[in-house]
Amino acid sequence: MAERTWDIDDLVGKIMSDLRASGVTSDSSASSVSVALTQDFRAVRGAATQSAGAKKVESAEPVVEQPSVFEIPERVATLNAVKRWASQTSCKTWQAPVNAVITPSVLDWLKKEEITLVHACQTPKKSSRSVGAGNVSVKVDAKKTPCLVAVCLPNEESAPRGLMHYLERNAELSVIRLDCLKTTSQEISERVNADGALRVVVTTHDSAKGLIWLNRLSGVRAVLATGFEQTKYDVSSTNANVLVVDPRRVGPYQLRQIVDIFLQQS
């Protein structure tokens, strides 16, 4: 049923008519009653309006401002974890911690959800570039990582062309060529101890011997490039600064993925 509204003057006029009909005939008395009724009605209506306004203010929920960047809380980001985090935030820019381990399946899922992943850096960023494996782009520090390629291959065999082209674009590249693995290992040890940020890629057909020689020397943490997932785990868990590659056992695309992860290790 629709609520009926009354105009104050009509309501007072009706009440005065009822009073006159009941025997109240004094004009002065009628006037006094009219004024009193009008004041009381307006006072009650004003109090009700203020009360309704106060209730609206009290019932308003506080507005919680969402941060513009979501900081990934764990160093190792698995697919289940990022899905759980995505349900807790609406941010479209996520920041991974230093030395974060991001699996390819996570990168694919973030791209599908249109989420931009950036890596936290120990030094302030001046600009950024995009690198990544396949169709996935990850913003990293524009300052290129110094990288040494030590070629220890027989018969003047060169390091894989695709690897060299990739490193020329994404690292401060230098190359040495030595025939003896022992001499090569000693040279690498001296260089990584002189520059803690240096990353070294050793290309050789004698990868097992190379690992033995390298890991005997101070400051050297060498791992073997095998499959992408295994090498990524080895690099992350040992904080490796030397990657030993046998070009006959790792394809060019997979090698690019491995070296990309290796360069991001700091």
Side-chain angles (χ1 to χ4, degrees):
M1 181 176 180
E3 182 181 358
R4 184 174 182 181
T5 59
W6 290 89
D7 182 77
I8 184 171
D9 295 329
D10 293 341
L11 181 61
V12 171
K14 183 177 184 306
I15 293 173
M16 294 307 300
S17 298
D18 293 341
L19 290 174
R20 293 189 182 94
S22 301
V24 180
T25 57
S26 173
D27 291 338
S28 60
S29 299
S31 177
S32 299
V33 171
S34 176
V35 171
L37 287 174
T38 302
Q39 291 176 347
D40 291 344
F41 183 83
R42 287 175 177 172
V44 171
R45 185 173 62 180
T49 303
Q50 291 179 358
S51 177
K55 289 181 179 180
K56 289 183 179 180
V57 172
E58 292 176 357
S59 62
E61 296 182 357
V63 178
V64 179
E65 184 178 355
Q66 290 287 341
S68 59
V69 178
F70 173 72
E71 296 185 1
I72 295 178
E74 299 177 12
R75 179 173 174 271
V76 179
T78 63
L79 185 58
N80 289 335
V82 298
K83 288 182 178 180
R84 183 176 71 254
W85 299 331
S87 66
Q88 301 170 357
T89 179
S90 59
C91 293
K92 290 299 183 179
T93 300
W94 289 19
Q95 179 174 287
V98 177
N99 298 338
V101 178
I102 310 296
T103 64
S105 59
V106 169
L107 293 175
D108 292 339
W109 188 86
L110 292 175
K111 181 183 178 183
K112 179 181 177 182
E113 297 297 320
E114 298 181 349
I115 296 175
T116 301
L117 178 67
V118 296
H119 283 268
C121 296
Q122 294 176 337
T123 56
K125 293 182 180 180
K126 294 182 180 179
S127 58
S128 62
R129 61 182 174 87
S130 294
V131 299
N135 297 324
V136 179
S137 293
V138 180
K139 293 182 180 179
V140 298
D141 191 358
K143 183 180 179 180
K144 294 182 178 180
T145 303
C147 182
L148 170 68
V149 175
V151 182
C152 195
L153 297 170
N155 303 321
E156 299 299 322
E157 181 181 345
S158 301
R161 184 178 301 177
L163 169 65
M164 299 304 293
H165 287 172
Y166 178 77
L167 290 175
E168 287 172 358
R169 295 192 304 270
N170 298 288
E172 294 180 1
L173 181 62
S174 57
V175 181
I176 60 173
R177 185 178 186 100
L178 298 171
D179 295 329
C180 177
L181 272 174
K182 181 178 179 180
T183 305
T184 303
S185 300
Q186 292 172 344
E187 176 73 15
I188 291 171
S189 176
E190 293 177 1
R191 296 205 181 196
V192 296
N193 282 290
D195 183 358
L198 180 65
R199 296 291 174 265
V200 182
V201 178
V202 181
T203 57
T204 178
H205 293 169
D206 296 322
S207 54
K209 293 180 182 179
L211 284 175
I212 293 173
W213 279 113
L214 287 162
N215 284 318
R216 291 177 61 185
L217 300 174
S218 173
V220 176
R221 299 178 300 277
V223 297
L224 177 64
T226 53
F228 173 74
E229 292 293 341
Q230 182 61 48
T231 307
K232 180 179 64 175
Y233 174 78
D234 293 341
V235 168
S236 174
S237 60
T238 62
N239 194 25
N241 53 13
V242 178
L243 182 69
V244 180
V245 178
D246 186 344
R248 301 172 303 178
R249 298 183 180 182
V250 183
Y253 177 73
Q254 191 176 48
L255 181 57
R256 173 182 168 175
Q257 288 182 304
I258 292 172
V259 172
D260 185 31
I261 291 295
F262 177 61
L263 290 180
Q264 294 182 35
Q265 180 75 16
S266 60

